[in-house]
Amino acid sequence: MNTQSILRWTLLLVVFGSVGVYAWQKANKVDSEPERAATASDTTAATVVVTYFTTDVRCDSCRTIEKLSRQAIEQGFPDEIASGKVVFRMLNTDRAANEHFLDDYEIANKTVIVSHQENGKETEWQNRQDVWLLLEQPNEFLAYVREPVRRYLDKN
């Protein structure tokens, strides 16, 4: 093998290796809109903040939980969202700024937290961890996520 052949094979390996790494990163990358961090003004005005906590690694079930949680809130409370009484957000606990939520809410894995607020301060919250058990039952899933939101709204 001459120098030119070695150089050709080396360049081919670099190119194919780069393409492989790029494809792997794309396949394992978090969706382009995975995190919708509510601004301070969003959560200060809200009486109910619904947060789907995720990580960088997202399986099909994780994506389904996000989709159904978002649907539960956006379709179940459109007027309350428009008025700012209800906020839906998605936060990634792999981000340094969000790591404290793991301790704050005693989160062990991806979950939905429904938080009641009064005067911009959290007064109580519920971990809707059973969303994992309701993935195959969309109607029950929607009702399960909406229940504490309705209850918290009724308090105000």
PDB file of all heavy atoms in Angstrom, residues 5 11 15 30 38 44 78 87 97 105 123 149:
ATOM      1  N   SER A   5      -2.819   5.645  -1.075  1.00  0.00           N
ATOM      2  CA  SER A   5      -3.888   4.735  -0.671  1.00  0.00           C
ATOM      3  C   SER A   5      -4.181   4.862   0.820  1.00  0.00           C
ATOM      4  O   SER A   5      -5.347   4.860   1.242  1.00  0.00           O
ATOM      5  CB  SER A   5      -3.516   3.286  -0.976  1.00  0.00           C
ATOM      6  OG  SER A   5      -3.463   3.078  -2.364  1.00  0.00           O
ATOM      7  N   LEU A  11      -8.988   9.258   5.004  1.00  0.00           N
ATOM      8  CA  LEU A  11     -10.004  10.277   4.764  1.00  0.00           C
ATOM      9  C   LEU A  11     -11.409   9.670   4.691  1.00  0.00           C
ATOM     10  O   LEU A  11     -12.367  10.242   5.213  1.00  0.00           O
ATOM     11  CB  LEU A  11      -9.691  11.065   3.494  1.00  0.00           C
ATOM     12  CG  LEU A  11      -8.505  12.021   3.581  1.00  0.00           C
ATOM     13  CD1 LEU A  11      -8.183  12.621   2.216  1.00  0.00           C
ATOM     14  CD2 LEU A  11      -8.792  13.121   4.589  1.00  0.00           C
ATOM     15  N   VAL A  15     -14.539  10.625   7.100  1.00  0.00           N
ATOM     16  CA  VAL A  15     -15.819  11.075   6.557  1.00  0.00           C
ATOM     17  C   VAL A  15     -16.952  10.176   7.043  1.00  0.00           C
ATOM     18  O   VAL A  15     -17.964  10.657   7.564  1.00  0.00           O
ATOM     19  CB  VAL A  15     -15.776  11.122   5.008  1.00  0.00           C
ATOM     20  CG1 VAL A  15     -17.165  11.293   4.428  1.00  0.00           C
ATOM     21  CG2 VAL A  15     -14.856  12.249   4.544  1.00  0.00           C
ATOM     22  N   VAL A  30     -32.533  15.533  21.819  1.00  0.00           N
ATOM     23  CA  VAL A  30     -33.827  15.974  22.324  1.00  0.00           C
ATOM     24  C   VAL A  30     -34.502  16.759  21.217  1.00  0.00           C
ATOM     25  O   VAL A  30     -33.854  17.437  20.425  1.00  0.00           O
ATOM     26  CB  VAL A  30     -33.621  16.864  23.565  1.00  0.00           C
ATOM     27  CG1 VAL A  30     -34.935  17.369  24.080  1.00  0.00           C
ATOM     28  CG2 VAL A  30     -32.867  16.117  24.640  1.00  0.00           C
ATOM     29  N   ALA A  38     -41.314  28.531  31.209  1.00  0.00           N
ATOM     30  CA  ALA A  38     -42.199  29.666  31.421  1.00  0.00           C
ATOM     31  C   ALA A  38     -41.386  30.813  31.982  1.00  0.00           C
ATOM     32  O   ALA A  38     -40.482  30.619  32.784  1.00  0.00           O
ATOM     33  CB  ALA A  38     -43.311  29.283  32.392  1.00  0.00           C
ATOM     34  N   THR A  44     -45.855  33.928  37.554  1.00  0.00           N
ATOM     35  CA  THR A  44     -46.322  34.822  38.608  1.00  0.00           C
ATOM     36  C   THR A  44     -47.815  35.058  38.487  1.00  0.00           C
ATOM     37  O   THR A  44     -48.531  35.073  39.478  1.00  0.00           O
ATOM     38  CB  THR A  44     -45.570  36.167  38.560  1.00  0.00           C
ATOM     39  OG1 THR A  44     -44.177  35.896  38.709  1.00  0.00           O
ATOM     40  CG2 THR A  44     -46.016  37.085  39.659  1.00  0.00           C
ATOM     41  N   PRO A  78     -58.375  26.060  27.599  1.00  0.00           N
ATOM     42  CA  PRO A  78     -57.936  27.106  26.663  1.00  0.00           C
ATOM     43  C   PRO A  78     -58.191  28.520  27.186  1.00  0.00           C
ATOM     44  O   PRO A  78     -57.349  29.403  26.996  1.00  0.00           O
ATOM     45  CB  PRO A  78     -58.737  26.821  25.396  1.00  0.00           C
ATOM     46  CG  PRO A  78     -59.922  26.027  25.859  1.00  0.00           C
ATOM     47  CD  PRO A  78     -59.455  25.249  27.046  1.00  0.00           C
ATOM     48  N   VAL A  87     -50.571  27.658  33.135  1.00  0.00           N
ATOM     49  CA  VAL A  87     -49.378  27.630  32.289  1.00  0.00           C
ATOM     50  C   VAL A  87     -48.923  26.187  32.160  1.00  0.00           C
ATOM     51  O   VAL A  87     -48.863  25.459  33.157  1.00  0.00           O
ATOM     52  CB  VAL A  87     -48.231  28.474  32.902  1.00  0.00           C
ATOM     53  CG1 VAL A  87     -46.933  28.265  32.143  1.00  0.00           C
ATOM     54  CG2 VAL A  87     -48.605  29.938  32.925  1.00  0.00           C
ATOM     55  N   ALA A  97     -29.749  24.576  35.466  1.00  0.00           N
ATOM     56  CA  ALA A  97     -30.708  25.514  36.064  1.00  0.00           C
ATOM     57  C   ALA A  97     -31.960  24.806  36.597  1.00  0.00           C
ATOM     58  O   ALA A  97     -32.672  25.370  37.434  1.00  0.00           O
ATOM     59  CB  ALA A  97     -31.109  26.571  35.040  1.00  0.00           C
ATOM     60  N   TYR A 105     -39.172  18.493  44.198  1.00  0.00           N
ATOM     61  CA  TYR A 105     -40.371  17.670  44.010  1.00  0.00           C
ATOM     62  C   TYR A 105     -40.112  16.178  44.222  1.00  0.00           C
ATOM     63  O   TYR A 105     -40.981  15.354  43.933  1.00  0.00           O
ATOM     64  CB  TYR A 105     -40.952  17.888  42.611  1.00  0.00           C
ATOM     65  CG  TYR A 105     -41.480  19.282  42.384  1.00  0.00           C
ATOM     66  CD1 TYR A 105     -40.961  20.078  41.365  1.00  0.00           C
ATOM     67  CD2 TYR A 105     -42.487  19.811  43.177  1.00  0.00           C
ATOM     68  CE1 TYR A 105     -41.453  21.365  41.141  1.00  0.00           C
ATOM     69  CE2 TYR A 105     -42.978  21.085  42.965  1.00  0.00           C
ATOM     70  CZ  TYR A 105     -42.454  21.856  41.945  1.00  0.00           C
ATOM     71  OH  TYR A 105     -42.941  23.123  41.734  1.00  0.00           O
ATOM     72  N   THR A 123     -48.196  27.033  46.757  1.00  0.00           N
ATOM     73  CA  THR A 123     -48.822  26.653  48.027  1.00  0.00           C
ATOM     74  C   THR A 123     -48.949  25.144  48.175  1.00  0.00           C
ATOM     75  O   THR A 123     -48.959  24.634  49.286  1.00  0.00           O
ATOM     76  CB  THR A 123     -50.221  27.295  48.164  1.00  0.00           C
ATOM     77  OG1 THR A 123     -51.024  26.882  47.053  1.00  0.00           O
ATOM     78  CG2 THR A 123     -50.122  28.809  48.207  1.00  0.00           C
ATOM     79  N   VAL A 149     -55.706  20.267  38.273  1.00  0.00           N
ATOM     80  CA  VAL A 149     -55.788  21.622  37.699  1.00  0.00           C
ATOM     81  C   VAL A 149     -57.165  22.203  38.003  1.00  0.00           C
ATOM     82  O   VAL A 149     -57.286  23.346  38.487  1.00  0.00           O
ATOM     83  CB  VAL A 149     -55.525  21.614  36.173  1.00  0.00           C
ATOM     84  CG1 VAL A 149     -55.707  23.000  35.579  1.00  0.00           C
ATOM     85  CG2 VAL A 149     -54.136  21.052  35.874  1.00  0.00           C
TER      86      VAL A 149
END
